PDB file of all heavy atoms in Angstrom:
ATOM      1  N   GLU A 225      -5.834 -11.504  11.765  1.00  0.00           N
ATOM      2  CA  GLU A 225      -7.036 -12.577  12.154  1.00  0.00           C
ATOM      3  C   GLU A 225      -6.766 -13.852  11.686  1.00  0.00           C
ATOM      4  O   GLU A 225      -7.368 -14.787  12.060  1.00  0.00           O
ATOM      5  CB  GLU A 225      -8.261 -12.059  11.651  1.00  0.00           C
ATOM      6  CG  GLU A 225      -8.906 -10.719  12.329  1.00  0.00           C
ATOM      7  CD  GLU A 225      -9.213 -10.992  13.718  1.00  0.00           C
ATOM      8  OE1 GLU A 225      -9.939 -11.962  13.986  1.00  0.00           O
ATOM      9  OE2 GLU A 225      -8.723 -10.250  14.657  1.00  0.00           O
ATOM     10  N   GLU A 226      -5.861 -14.020  10.674  1.00  0.00           N
ATOM     11  CA  GLU A 226      -5.690 -15.329  10.025  1.00  0.00           C
ATOM     12  C   GLU A 226      -5.196 -16.353  10.932  1.00  0.00           C
ATOM     13  O   GLU A 226      -4.317 -16.061  11.766  1.00  0.00           O
ATOM     14  CB  GLU A 226      -4.744 -15.257   8.755  1.00  0.00           C
ATOM     15  CG  GLU A 226      -5.488 -14.676   7.603  1.00  0.00           C
ATOM     16  CD  GLU A 226      -4.476 -14.464   6.489  1.00  0.00           C
ATOM     17  OE1 GLU A 226      -3.327 -14.617   6.480  1.00  0.00           O
ATOM     18  OE2 GLU A 226      -4.927 -13.992   5.396  1.00  0.00           O
ATOM     19  N   PRO A 227      -5.772 -17.521  10.871  1.00  0.00           N
ATOM     20  CA  PRO A 227      -5.319 -18.668  11.823  1.00  0.00           C
ATOM     21  C   PRO A 227      -3.915 -19.313  11.355  1.00  0.00           C
ATOM     22  O   PRO A 227      -3.366 -20.005  12.167  1.00  0.00           O
ATOM     23  CB  PRO A 227      -6.416 -19.674  11.820  1.00  0.00           C
ATOM     24  CG  PRO A 227      -7.091 -19.445  10.409  1.00  0.00           C
ATOM     25  CD  PRO A 227      -6.881 -18.090  10.095  1.00  0.00           C
ATOM     26  N   TRP A 228      -3.580 -19.152  10.175  1.00  0.00           N
ATOM     27  CA  TRP A 228      -2.425 -19.903   9.711  1.00  0.00           C
ATOM     28  C   TRP A 228      -1.097 -19.300   9.900  1.00  0.00           C
ATOM     29  O   TRP A 228      -0.860 -18.143   9.969  1.00  0.00           O
ATOM     30  CB  TRP A 228      -2.557 -20.057   8.100  1.00  0.00           C
ATOM     31  CG  TRP A 228      -3.922 -20.583   7.594  1.00  0.00           C
ATOM     32  CD1 TRP A 228      -4.413 -21.787   7.726  1.00  0.00           C
ATOM     33  CD2 TRP A 228      -4.975 -19.685   7.112  1.00  0.00           C
ATOM     34  NE1 TRP A 228      -5.658 -21.824   7.103  1.00  0.00           N
ATOM     35  CE2 TRP A 228      -6.080 -20.667   6.842  1.00  0.00           C
ATOM     36  CE3 TRP A 228      -5.138 -18.382   6.702  1.00  0.00           C
ATOM     37  CZ2 TRP A 228      -7.226 -20.176   6.209  1.00  0.00           C
ATOM     38  CZ3 TRP A 228      -6.282 -17.988   6.167  1.00  0.00           C
ATOM     39  CH2 TRP A 228      -7.376 -18.959   5.888  1.00  0.00           C
ATOM     40  N   GLN A 229      -0.181 -20.206  10.172  1.00  0.00           N
ATOM     41  CA  GLN A 229       1.312 -19.739  10.290  1.00  0.00           C
ATOM     42  C   GLN A 229       2.169 -20.654   9.372  1.00  0.00           C
ATOM     43  O   GLN A 229       1.902 -21.816   9.172  1.00  0.00           O
ATOM     44  CB  GLN A 229       1.740 -20.123  11.773  1.00  0.00           C
ATOM     45  CG  GLN A 229       1.256 -19.156  12.779  1.00  0.00           C
ATOM     46  CD  GLN A 229       2.302 -18.650  13.619  1.00  0.00           C
ATOM     47  OE1 GLN A 229       3.557 -19.014  13.487  1.00  0.00           O
ATOM     48  NE2 GLN A 229       1.878 -17.728  14.321  1.00  0.00           N
ATOM     49  N   LEU A 230       2.987 -19.999   8.715  1.00  0.00           N
ATOM     50  CA  LEU A 230       3.973 -20.770   7.787  1.00  0.00           C
ATOM     51  C   LEU A 230       5.372 -20.699   8.498  1.00  0.00           C
ATOM     52  O   LEU A 230       5.985 -19.533   8.523  1.00  0.00           O
ATOM     53  CB  LEU A 230       4.104 -20.128   6.421  1.00  0.00           C
ATOM     54  CG  LEU A 230       2.722 -20.203   5.571  1.00  0.00           C
ATOM     55  CD1 LEU A 230       2.907 -19.570   4.277  1.00  0.00           C
ATOM     56  CD2 LEU A 230       2.182 -21.514   5.474  1.00  0.00           C
ATOM     57  N   ALA A 231       5.719 -21.758   9.071  1.00  0.00           N
ATOM     58  CA  ALA A 231       6.872 -21.764   9.929  1.00  0.00           C
ATOM     59  C   ALA A 231       8.121 -21.232   9.309  1.00  0.00           C
ATOM     60  O   ALA A 231       8.938 -20.559   9.957  1.00  0.00           O
ATOM     61  CB  ALA A 231       7.163 -23.287  10.425  1.00  0.00           C
ATOM     62  N   GLN A 232       8.324 -21.614   7.924  1.00  0.00           N
ATOM     63  CA  GLN A 232       9.544 -21.043   7.318  1.00  0.00           C
ATOM     64  C   GLN A 232       9.622 -19.631   7.220  1.00  0.00           C
ATOM     65  O   GLN A 232      10.678 -18.906   7.100  1.00  0.00           O
ATOM     66  CB  GLN A 232       9.528 -21.704   5.877  1.00  0.00           C
ATOM     67  CG  GLN A 232       8.538 -21.318   4.858  1.00  0.00           C
ATOM     68  CD  GLN A 232       7.177 -22.012   4.846  1.00  0.00           C
ATOM     69  OE1 GLN A 232       6.883 -22.485   5.928  1.00  0.00           O
ATOM     70  NE2 GLN A 232       6.707 -22.240   3.709  1.00  0.00           N
ATOM     71  N   TYR A 233       8.541 -18.864   7.427  1.00  0.00           N
ATOM     72  CA  TYR A 233       8.632 -17.337   7.361  1.00  0.00           C
ATOM     73  C   TYR A 233       8.597 -16.801   8.781  1.00  0.00           C
ATOM     74  O   TYR A 233       8.698 -15.647   9.011  1.00  0.00           O
ATOM     75  CB  TYR A 233       7.336 -16.837   6.580  1.00  0.00           C
ATOM     76  CG  TYR A 233       7.322 -17.167   5.301  1.00  0.00           C
ATOM     77  CD1 TYR A 233       6.095 -17.552   4.614  1.00  0.00           C
ATOM     78  CD2 TYR A 233       8.458 -17.220   4.425  1.00  0.00           C
ATOM     79  CE1 TYR A 233       6.086 -17.923   3.322  1.00  0.00           C
ATOM     80  CE2 TYR A 233       8.452 -17.571   3.097  1.00  0.00           C
ATOM     81  CZ  TYR A 233       7.235 -17.987   2.540  1.00  0.00           C
ATOM     82  OH  TYR A 233       7.179 -18.470   1.278  1.00  0.00           O
ATOM     83  N   GLU A 234       8.382 -17.666   9.787  1.00  0.00           N
ATOM     84  CA  GLU A 234       8.283 -17.200  11.105  1.00  0.00           C
ATOM     85  C   GLU A 234       9.655 -17.303  11.941  1.00  0.00           C
ATOM     86  O   GLU A 234       9.844 -16.771  13.081  1.00  0.00           O
ATOM     87  CB  GLU A 234       7.246 -17.860  11.988  1.00  0.00           C
ATOM     88  CG  GLU A 234       5.851 -17.681  11.450  1.00  0.00           C
ATOM     89  CD  GLU A 234       5.373 -16.242  11.550  1.00  0.00           C
ATOM     90  OE1 GLU A 234       5.919 -15.468  12.294  1.00  0.00           O
ATOM     91  OE2 GLU A 234       4.361 -15.891  10.687  1.00  0.00           O
TER      92      GLU A 234
END
Side-chain angles (χ1 to χ4, degrees):
E225 289 295 308
E226 283 177 353
W228 307 285
Q229 287 229 352
L230 298 182
Q232 66 271 34
Y233 300 135
E234 298 295 340

